[in-house]
Amino acid sequence: MLYEEGTASIVGNVGFGGLSRGGLFGGGGSLSGTQQSLAALKVAPPEKRMIIPVRNPLGKFVIGFIVFSWLISNQLLLQVFALGLIVWRLFTVYRWNREQWPKLLGDWQQKWYCSQCGTTFNP
């Protein structure tokens, strides 16, 4: 209940504009995301791992490297290395989601939260 009440989805549009020597300028875009209270973040359920780790800067770099080496490079050794990284990532994510995540979710489902002291525990 604490997790559900402390988590909200955010969707919106942004715009900007101004005046410079060259004339008027402007732009805009859209945004989306999730907002969580600290208490909701603390009691959040474990997440399954994703093949493409979009929240991790190192993961973004590795994905960019793989795409670059696979699509642009003509180096066979680089392409084989990139393919090996892809296979390794698929295997490790699949294994973790199949073996580790169910255990963590089961533990999470048994936990209680004390709003007085702010700790989570198994009764």
Side-chain angles (χ1 to χ4, degrees):
M1 190 166 126
L2 182 63
Y3 171 73
E4 293 291 328
E5 289 181 358
T7 305
S9 295
I10 301 170
V11 178
N13 295 313
V14 293
F16 62 90
L19 180 63
S20 70
R21 286 184 172 175
L24 295 174
F25 66 92
S30 62
L31 58 95
S32 64
T34 304
Q35 177 182 352
Q36 282 187 319
S37 67
L38 291 176
L41 186 61
K42 187 175 182 178
V43 298
E47 293 183 357
K48 283 188 172 184
R49 291 194 176 164
M50 299 170 55
I51 293 171
I52 301 174
V54 294
R55 295 183 193 156
N56 184 347
L58 179 61
K60 290 178 184 180
F61 173 78
V62 169
I63 296 301
F65 171 76
I66 290 171
V67 169
F68 169 76
S69 62
W70 189 258
L71 297 177
I72 298 172
S73 176
N74 290 329
Q75 301 291 325
L76 180 62
L77 183 60
L78 200 55
Q79 289 177 341
V80 169
F81 179 70
L83 183 61
L85 283 176
I86 292 170
V87 170
W88 174 78
R89 180 68 185 174
L90 287 170
F91 176 73
T92 57
V93 167
Y94 171 76
R95 190 175 67 186
W96 192 90
N97 284 342
R98 187 188 55 172
E99 296 172 4
Q100 300 298 321
W101 182 77
K103 293 176 189 175
L104 294 173
L105 184 63
D107 290 344
W108 176 80
Q109 290 172 335
Q110 300 299 318
K111 287 187 177 180
W112 291 79
Y113 175 76
C114 176
S115 60
Q116 187 173 9
C117 64
T119 60
T120 57
F121 61 94
N122 287 339

